[in-house]
Amino acid sequence: MKDESNHQQAVELLQQLGLKEYEARCLVALSRLPQGTAKEISDISDVPRTRVYDAIRVLESKGLVEIQHSNPQRFRAVPIEEAAETLRQEYESRTETLVESINEIEPVQSDEDDETTHEVWSLDGASAVRNRTQQLIDTADEELVLVIGHEAAITPDLVEQLQETYASGIRVLIGTPNDAIRDRIRREIPDATVFVSGLEWLESSSIRESDDTVITSMLLVDGETILVSSAHETDTGTVIEEKAVFGRGFDNGIVVIARRLMATGLFSTEEPKIADE
């Protein structure tokens, strides 16, 4: 049963990386054989024999399969590490081409004012939240304030980025919900200003005991851009289904409130910058 599940997962992942179903099934089948004929591949993969040849030709053109021109022809998959690297390079190439293509498309003019300071947007998914967090940190010019609500928010990539941000001359303030996380951050980012936020409720799931939602982090960039991420916490402490809200502008109520909340626990001389409120 487990083999069947792993087999199906492998096929689905290959399809997500750009292969068609028959191509993915043939490649997974070959990964289970030292080498095989079209008939053997068909028997294992449930791909019609006449379609195996078409799928193999595509896989060969992608550098994923080798062919021995014997009678009958025999096929074998390249080592899985090599295949994964080939697919990764193709995926990255397509992503780069996508970015270039979209950037070259002429934008459509909107009737809305591009300079609006009242905007709130939502993001869904751990990858989207992580990417937006990294993007916002990169835009910091003067100051970065990060209040951590759950230890899961402290990833190696985030620590490295915060270290680089501080090294570039940007003021970095990091709030933590307790002394233990504060001490960990001080060890990993010794030059940043680290404080216990004073927001004890960040450590609790919710006002309602039945709600397992936790605030994972609050990010404030240059006193005008805020991102608040939340997630559901499992019984084992793992966070899942991460979401975030994102606001920008000095006049945005969410940004104003967040700035004041995030200053809790700082000395008055260290409070995050507040623009002419």
Side-chain angles (χ1 to χ4, degrees):
M1 187 69 177
K2 186 176 180 181
D3 282 348
E4 183 179 345
S5 175
N6 289 336
H7 182 280
Q8 185 58 33
Q9 182 181 39
V11 170
E12 291 174 357
L13 288 171
L14 286 169
Q15 287 182 267
Q16 292 172 18
L17 289 171
L19 297 186
K20 294 181 180 179
E21 182 179 0
Y22 283 174
E23 296 161 8
R25 289 188 176 279
C26 287
L27 184 58
V28 172
L30 277 175
S31 71
R32 302 171 60 189
L33 295 167
Q35 54 182 270
T37 63
K39 181 180 184 307
E40 291 170 330
I41 296 171
S42 177
D43 291 342
I44 295 175
S45 65
D46 291 331
V47 174
R49 186 174 175 180
T50 55
R51 301 296 301 275
V52 167
Y53 291 104
D54 293 335
I56 291 296
R57 277 195 290 270
V58 174
L59 293 173
E60 181 193 23
S61 70
K62 292 180 178 292
L64 301 176
V65 163
E66 299 171 344
I67 298 179
Q68 184 181 69
H69 295 283
S70 55
N71 188 18
Q73 285 186 323
R74 303 191 70 83
F75 314 99
R76 70 178 182 183
V78 302
I80 186 59
E81 293 80 8
E82 182 181 331
E85 178 62 18
T86 298
L87 289 169
R88 185 189 65 79
Q89 291 177 357
E90 182 176 350
Y91 191 86
E92 289 183 352
S93 176
R94 289 184 179 183
T95 302
E96 291 171 0
T97 302
L98 171 65
V99 172
E100 292 173 0
S101 297
I102 290 181
N103 284 338
E104 291 176 1
I105 297 175
E106 185 176 350
V108 177
Q109 294 298 319
S110 172
D111 294 333
E112 296 182 6
D113 184 2
D114 292 335
E115 300 300 321
T116 180
T117 58
H118 298 276
E119 57 180 55
V120 177
W121 302 85
S122 63
L123 294 169
D124 195 342
S127 294
V129 174
R130 182 171 58 251
N131 291 339
R132 178 55 57 86
T133 299
Q134 293 173 345
Q135 185 268 328
L136 290 180
I137 291 175
D138 285 340
T139 65
D141 291 323
E142 301 177 21
E143 179 187 81
L144 188 72
V145 185
L146 175 66
V147 173
I148 297 167
H150 194 287
E151 197 166 9
I154 313 170
T155 64
D157 287 343
L158 177 63
V159 170
E160 181 180 356
Q161 191 176 21
L162 292 173
Q163 291 170 337
E164 294 174 353
T165 300
Y166 182 87
S168 69
I170 295 170
R171 186 184 186 214
V172 178
L173 307 173
I174 303 174
T176 67
N178 57 54
D179 293 338
I181 297 181
R182 178 197 61 191
D183 294 342
R184 173 186 169 184
I185 295 296
R186 282 179 173 170
R187 289 193 301 270
E188 297 182 351
I189 314 176
D191 297 322
T193 298
V194 186
F195 62 98
V196 175
S197 67
L199 302 177
E200 294 84 358
W201 48 267
L202 284 176
E203 289 192 283
S204 61
S205 295
S206 168
I207 295 175
R208 297 177 302 171
E209 294 183 0
S210 60
D211 191 350
D212 58 0
T213 302
V214 294
I215 301 296
T216 51
S217 67
M218 295 191 293
L219 175 68
L220 178 65
V221 178
D222 292 333
E224 65 173 354
T225 304
I226 182 75
L227 184 143
V228 179
S229 62
S230 64
H232 292 293
E233 185 177 37
T234 65
D235 294 338
T236 60
T238 303
V239 294
I240 58 174
E241 299 180 10
E242 192 165 4
K243 302 176 183 291
V245 290
F246 160 78
R248 188 192 302 276
F250 289 121
D251 298 330
N252 191 309
I254 287 182
V255 177
V256 173
I257 293 171
R259 284 204 306 269
R260 297 191 181 282
L261 279 174
M262 294 172 75
T264 305
L266 275 172
F267 295 108
S268 60
T269 56
E270 295 178 328
E271 289 185 359
K273 62 183 290 189
I274 298 178
D276 302 334
E277 294 182 310

